[in-house]
């Protein structure tokens, strides 16, 4: 007998699973070189240091309890010090809110800042996790394009001057996912000025800002305006399993997020927050660890881009990563990357077609490649396999 269930909420209408998450299910085979997932390299994660911090936390049974909804107090204090250094001003503990990864902060903020039908402006190509959140909130989404200096503010100004009034503008300011570019300093100041002039919130999504290769990331957008809510995470510099993200926002926003988090999960994990606090507070160790990650990722980024240009020549145009985890590639020869993907999988390599990140632009001839989880020789082999799938370039 087949069951007939009551209907689900209408907010689910039109929602789609992440194409990247779905692709990862297909690319878990050992014979496929994965350039699709945005995963940090597990071999670079400080397993022994995490284990020692976990052992220290477990030595005190009182630390096995629930913690405060805004996060474990000592972690918020550590984060306040770190973010004060990034923003060039004193950040109060009351402005720090710890979440289950920065994606949860984005989800909770969508409930705090957006009524159904509210306008959200995103970058195109867009971060898939943001699109999922804003669509679930019932927002009206409008995209502005990227160029080599990040979000094109001339396009944003055109929308604003035409009368559009966003509730939120979302930007992945450093080493964009998927575009690989960084918002230029002058544009950061201008974006902040526009937020104050037109009365919208900026969500500055910055999980990659510490993964620069040659020069530090520019000052955060949050440096320039109180209208900026800044998100960051330990996932890319320590380990995703800690699920330690945080939000820096005005106290009223933090209080509103707290009300929703209490209803969602009461609080985060006191254990993983204690581990995160210990590792982030050990600044000398952390600096050396992150330097190692930067050096390795920088070499891999160079290897991947070099291999792509050597094999495909003027058939492609790609970004030159200055940090982060991704390369964005455009084919100039008409290649349909979604149509190419099955052949690439057969050849033993995976990537994400550009249309997975599209909002209003056709990215049929684009792809996102992640360079973090393979060494230079494996990345070169991946490009060789991609070239074979493409037609023996």
């Amino acid at each position: 007998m087949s069951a007939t269930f009551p209907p689900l909420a209408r907010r689910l209408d039109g929602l789609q699973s992440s194409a990247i998450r779905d692709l990862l299910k297909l690319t878990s085979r050992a014979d496929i070189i994965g350039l699709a997932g945005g995963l940090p390299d597990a071999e670079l994660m400080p397993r022994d240091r995490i284990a020692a911090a976990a052992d220290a936390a477990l030595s005190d049974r009182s630390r096995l309890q629930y913690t405060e909804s805004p996060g474990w107090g000592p972690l918020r204090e550590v984060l306040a010090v770190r973010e004060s250094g990034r923003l060039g001003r004193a950040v109060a503990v009351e402005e720090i809110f710890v979440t289950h990864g920065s994606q949860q902060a984005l989800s909770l903020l969508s409930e705090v800042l957006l009524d159904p039908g509210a306008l959200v402006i995103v970058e195109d190509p867009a971060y898939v996790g943001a699109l999922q959140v804003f669509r679930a909130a019932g927002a009206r989404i409008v995209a502005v394009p990227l160029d080599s200096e990040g979000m094109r503010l001339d396009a944003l100004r055109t929308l604003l001057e035409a009368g559009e009034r966003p509730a939120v503008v979302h930007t992945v300011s450093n080493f964009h996912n998927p575009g690989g570019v960084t918002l230029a300093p002058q544009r950061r100041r201008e974006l902040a000025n526009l937020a104050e002039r037109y009365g919208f919130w900026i969500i500055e999504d910055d999980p990659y800002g510490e993964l620069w290769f040659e020069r530090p990331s520019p000052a955060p957008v949050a440096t320039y305006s109180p209208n900026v809510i800044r998100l960051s995470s330990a996932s890319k510099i320590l380990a995703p399993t800690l699920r330690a993200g945080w939000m820096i926002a005005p106290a009223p926003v933090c209080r509103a997020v707290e009300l929703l988090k209490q209803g969602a999960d009461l609080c985060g994990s006191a254990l993983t927050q204690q581990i995160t606090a210990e590792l982030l507070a050990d600044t000398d160790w952390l600096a050396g660890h992150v330097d190692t990650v930067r050096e390795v990722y920088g070499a891999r980024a160079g290897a991947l881009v070099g291999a792509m240009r050597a094999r495909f020549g003027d058939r492609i145009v790609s970004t030159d990563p200055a940090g982060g985890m991704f390369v964005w590639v455009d084919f100039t020869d008409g290649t349909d990357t979604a149509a190419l993907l099955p052949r690439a999988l057969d050849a033993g390599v995976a990537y994400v077609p550009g249309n997975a990140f599209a909002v209003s632009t056709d990215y049929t001839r684009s792809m996102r490649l992640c360079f973090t989880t393979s060494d230079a020789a494996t990345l070169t082999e991946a490009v060789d396999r991609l070239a074979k799938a493409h037609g023996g370039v």
Side-chain angles (χ1 to χ4, degrees):
M1 180 186 300
S2 61
T4 302
F5 298 109
L8 301 178
R10 286 193 298 272
R11 73 184 65 177
L12 294 171
D13 294 346
L15 292 187
Q16 300 176 5
S17 177
S18 165
I20 302 167
R21 291 283 166 181
D22 292 343
L23 183 59
L24 290 179
K25 299 173 187 175
L26 301 175
T27 59
S28 58
R29 300 198 328 249
D31 60 323
I32 290 183
I33 301 174
L35 306 180
L39 306 177
D41 188 349
E43 295 300 318
L44 297 174
M45 296 175 195
R47 180 189 60 185
D48 294 342
R49 189 71 179 81
I50 290 172
D55 188 60
L58 291 170
S59 66
D60 183 348
R61 287 182 179 272
S62 68
R63 294 186 173 184
L64 300 179
Q65 274 291 3
Y66 294 106
T67 190
E68 298 90 347
S69 295
W72 191 55
L75 174 57
R76 295 172 71 204
E77 292 170 3
V78 169
L79 292 171
V81 172
R82 281 173 55 85
E83 292 297 332
S84 294
R86 294 292 304 275
L87 299 181
R89 66 171 179 85
V91 175
V93 171
E94 291 73 23
E95 297 176 73
I96 302 289
F97 198 100
V98 180
T99 54
H100 192 73
S102 59
Q103 183 69 21
Q104 187 188 49
L106 194 57
S107 178
L108 294 172
L109 283 170
S110 73
E111 297 185 64
V112 167
L113 304 179
L114 301 175
D115 292 317
L119 173 61
V120 175
I121 292 178
V122 300
E123 295 152 327
D124 199 6
Y127 169 51
V128 171
L131 292 179
Q132 288 181 303
V133 162
F134 297 143
R135 286 168 178 159
R140 180 168 66 94
I141 300 172
V142 173
V144 298
L146 295 170
D147 62 18
S148 62
E149 295 188 337
M151 179 187 286
R152 279 185 45 196
L153 294 193
D154 61 325
L156 175 60
R157 283 196 305 274
T158 297
L159 289 171
L160 295 171
E161 290 168 0
E164 293 282 22
R165 291 296 178 264
V168 166
V169 172
H170 177 267
T171 179
V172 181
S173 54
N174 293 313
F175 318 123
H176 189 271
N177 178 10
V181 297
T182 293
L183 188 63
Q186 178 57 38
R187 292 191 186 184
R188 294 173 186 235
R189 288 189 289 270
E190 184 177 355
L191 179 59
N193 290 337
L194 289 173
E196 295 191 6
R197 177 179 176 185
Y198 289 97
F200 58 82
W201 291 102
I202 299 168
I203 298 179
E204 181 182 19
D205 214 340
D206 185 24
Y208 311 105
E210 295 189 64
L211 297 180
W212 48 267
F213 299 154
E214 294 183 0
R215 63 179 62 87
S217 306
V221 183
T223 303
Y224 304 109
S225 173
N227 285 34
V228 182
I229 300 169
R230 175 173 154 74
L231 311 183
S232 194
S233 168
S235 292
K236 307 305 186 293
I237 60 171
L238 294 176
T241 192
L242 296 173
R243 304 311 299 135
W246 53 88
M247 174 181 74
I248 302 90
V253 174
C254 289
R255 287 196 294 271
V257 168
E258 181 176 1
L259 292 176
L260 293 175
K261 184 168 174 63
Q262 288 173 354
D265 62 4
L266 297 181
C267 65
S269 165
L271 177 60
T272 60
Q273 290 184 27
Q274 290 170 67
I275 295 169
T276 304
E278 180 172 328
L279 272 59
L280 293 182
D282 191 348
T283 54
D284 290 341
W285 169 84
L286 183 65
H289 166 70
V290 175
D291 279 346
T292 298
V293 176
R294 291 176 185 138
E295 181 178 357
V296 172
Y297 286 179
R300 292 176 180 178
L304 178 58
V305 171
M308 287 292 293
R309 289 174 176 166
R311 288 305 303 264
F312 289 92
D314 61 5
R315 293 177 177 86
I316 64 153
V317 175
S318 78
T319 54
D320 286 299
M325 300 170 61
F326 305 107
V327 176
W328 184 259
V329 176
D330 295 310
F331 279 89
T332 61
D333 63 358
T335 296
D336 182 328
T337 57
L340 175 62
L341 181 59
R343 301 198 302 274
L345 292 171
D346 288 342
V349 63
Y351 59 85
V352 185
N355 58 16
F357 309 97
V359 181
S360 57
T361 303
D362 180 4
Y363 291 112
T364 300
R365 296 175 178 83
S366 304
M367 61 170 60
R368 189 196 76 176
L369 307 176
C370 179
F371 50 76
T372 54
T373 55
S374 298
D375 59 23
T378 305
L379 291 168
T380 300
E381 172 62 21
V383 174
D384 288 344
R385 296 181 184 186
L386 183 61
K388 178 182 177 182
H390 187 267
V393 175

